[in-house]
Amino acid sequence: MEQGSNAAWVDGAIGAVKAITFICDVITYPVYLLLQRPWEKRRLSSKPKGKVVSSDQKTITIRTLTSPQESHTSLVKNDIDTMEKVIRFTTKKYSDKKCLGTRQILAEEDEEQPDGRIFKKYKMGDYLWTTFAETDVIATNFGKGLVALGQERYKNIVIFGETRAQWLISAQACFKQNFPVVTIYATLGEEAIAHGINETEVSFVITTHDLLPKFKTILKSTPKVKTIIYMEDQLSETDTSGLRDDVNIIAFKEVVKKGEALQIDNSPPKSSDVAIIMYTSGSTGIPKGVILTHENIVSTLKGFSDTVLMKANDMYMAYLPLAHVYELLSEYMCLFCGVPIGYSTPLTMVDTSSKIMRGTKGDASVLKPTIITAVPLILDRIYKGINDKLSHGSAVKKSLFNFAFNYKKKWVRKGFTTPLVDSLIFSHVKQALGGRVRLVVSGGAPLSPDTHEFIKTCLCNSVIQGYGLTETCAAATAMDLDDMTLGRAGTPLTVCDIRLIDWEEGNYRVSDKPFPRGEIIIGGNNVSPGYYKLEEKTKEDFFTEDGKRWFKTGDIGEYHPDGVIRIIDRKKDLVKLQGGEYVSLGKVETQLKTCPVVDNICVYADARHDYCIALIVPNQAALQEIGEKYGFNKDTSIDILCEDTRVEREVQHQIALHAKKCKLQKFEIPGKVKLCKEVWTPETGLTTAAFKLKRKEIQDKYQHELNRLYAS
């Protein structure tokens, strides 16, 4: 009886809110109509953004209608065609402005948890900043210090470390002295790290305090390495014992000091010189080294600057791997526009992060960024985190949030903003990232429309996604800032063309109606010369036509009448089922990742069967709620819940309902599921550093379970 009266009270309260809102809408509508001009926003959203510049029976080539913006023309006018020239230009233009910021770690202390366990947490201070001029001095001296230690011009040098200011400074130093930088993900296994070091024949490695111990093993299989430079830790002395006796181990600051004493000039590169050999994150097989020239990188800067318009008071929070081309180019875009970069980590980003001590603010609360980049997995987790928090809140709070969410979504789709609702309801959500975020840029994988809309509604009005690859120096397409649609990758950047070509095997053709479809080929100055020491693979994936370099992506795109591309498939992710239907594994995963019970998912299909199956890393809170329905207490371990067949069946049922909501076809809905106890991370080797699934590794690990699911 009491529960019924509570529900009635909640319904009555929300009904009153709706009535008040309706009256406010009627009164304020004419004012908002005149001030916000929603028809103009809708017009800008639907305007043509690209056009077909050539076509034949099997191909179409698309080009943007966007003109080069001020930053792009500035690069051209000032004859900036190398990264060394970019650094010189920005140092002169923004000399005394904040450049790179690092958060102080004051102490690491034990903190007792409510359950009695003890975790080590950071007590943290403010951000400490270097100006553009100070950063340039450190980079110049570090580069000269490398020369003093024996590093030679044109000779490769490895940077193997987590994202931080010294990483970017090291890269700048190498660009100044024309040392090609070899980037290797901090999360790769020792075999893959040794492969990158040996293939590029480096004798110098730049690493960090935390990663140095790995070299006790790695050095046994990397005989050419003679010098290791480590970036120091804020709290602990670095233990350099136990490494190979013939290797010189030296601290980052010591190299800078050596450079201060050396009177030599920089050795500027040419635009055609190699700037980076970037090892891919290796979602399939051994990581490949992608060659990126200075011309490639500067070309991407031009394209990015025509898409993302930076402001004088912007602040960027960096936390994604700098060894990933997407993060590296995002940071250089910020530097070129004079936007300060504050460094963070997933362990310290927000107030509730795992390494933040009670009473200490997370990095975002201190830094208050205005721009962040993200990969879809991170945005999916924010989406689920907010929903999880709401599900454990009061009925009134949940109902009020749902009403506000749907209310804002309705008006935003019509071209309006909702400042009052933002202030009353969504401001506390925005405070999680400091309260000032005005732009979220998503890349690395397709962002689901549900997550896209949720983040736009709750966190930041401007959420755009782009598309690019390491082989195209992160550049290919990006959404127009005026585009109000969801789930599309945008129009080609100003520095490249996009070509769609028939892929007969997958039944994708440019003659398809209503939208032309085909494999995406990218052509422009941003396209890499090829793979390092892999001539046959380079010939297979790259070609030159009329002086323009092109790359075959293996991704399938769909061309819309306004000139925008949507990524709909990937060759390697397409499996033909027994009944003849094609299942796009990536497409299904993108949709099902937004299911509340899913933290991560890998869909698997065997051509000998007429349905697909799924391996699921469950959301802990959602799984425990399911467990309680079947008599488990709320403290039951995830391991036990994952083994319970009733829980597994319930998860499969929720997946099926969510799949239908996402309008997946019957054959795309997993017929069986397996709940996985282990979280898939770069550290476990089951995802890349950019959190893409490593299908082969996941399949190898769970092959027995996959066989069992199909056999049962």
Side-chain angles (χ1 to χ4, degrees), residues 214-422:
K214 283 181 174 281
F215 285 88
K216 292 178 181 179
T217 304
I218 293 170
L219 285 174
K220 294 175 183 176
S221 53
T222 54
K224 291 191 176 182
V225 174
K226 299 301 178 187
T227 302
I228 295 180
I229 298 154
Y230 64 89
M231 304 170 200
E232 303 90 335
D233 185 70
Q234 288 195 44
L235 298 178
S236 307
E237 289 291 323
T238 303
D239 180 9
T240 59
S241 63
L243 298 165
R244 222 174 61 212
D245 292 339
D246 64 330
V247 176
N248 181 22
I249 314 294
I250 184 169
F252 183 93
K253 288 178 182 175
E254 291 300 314
V255 179
V256 173
K257 284 182 182 177
K258 282 183 178 292
E260 288 174 358
L262 191 64
Q263 298 300 315
I264 62 165
D265 293 328
N266 293 329
S267 300
K270 303 186 299 294
S271 63
S272 57
D273 285 339
V274 176
I276 297 172
I277 300 170
M278 183 163 280
Y279 275 82
T280 60
S281 47
S283 56
T284 56
I286 296 173
K288 302 183 292 290
V290 179
I291 301 168
L292 298 174
T293 66
H294 287 270
E295 181 184 36
N296 293 149
I297 300 175
V298 173
S299 178
T300 291
L301 287 181
K302 292 173 182 175
F304 277 12
S305 66
D306 295 329
T307 302
V308 180
L309 303 180
M310 304 272 185
K311 298 181 179 179
N313 65 340
D314 273 330
M315 176 69 70
Y316 179 83
M317 184 168 68
Y319 65 97
L320 293 175
L322 262 169
H324 193 292
V325 68
Y326 171 43
E327 177 64 20
L328 182 65
L329 268 296
S330 295
E331 291 191 28
Y332 267 107
M333 179 66 209
C334 290
L335 294 184
F336 184 71
C337 295
V339 173
I341 300 170
Y343 286 91
S344 178
T345 76
L347 301 178
T348 61
M349 187 183 298
V350 297
D351 297 353
T352 55
S353 291
S354 60
K355 289 292 284 185
I356 293 293
M357 183 179 293
R358 277 194 296 268
T360 295
K361 293 289 187 183
D363 297 336
S365 296
V366 176
L367 188 67
K368 300 188 184 304
T370 60
I371 300 173
I372 63 168
T373 52
V375 293
L377 183 64
I378 289 172
L379 297 178
D380 287 339
R381 286 176 178 171
I382 292 173
Y383 173 16
K384 287 174 193 164
I386 295 171
N387 277 327
D388 183 52
K389 196 170 181 180
L390 283 170
S391 69
H392 291 88
S394 67
V396 173
K397 189 175 181 180
K398 193 188 306 182
S399 298
L400 185 61
F401 183 90
N402 288 336
F403 167 71
F405 179 82
N406 290 320
Y407 174 86
K408 180 176 178 179
K409 188 167 69 172
K410 176 186 74 175
W411 287 109
V412 165
R413 286 177 177 176
K414 293 179 179 180
F416 289 90
T417 58
T418 56
L420 189 59
V421 171
D422 285 346

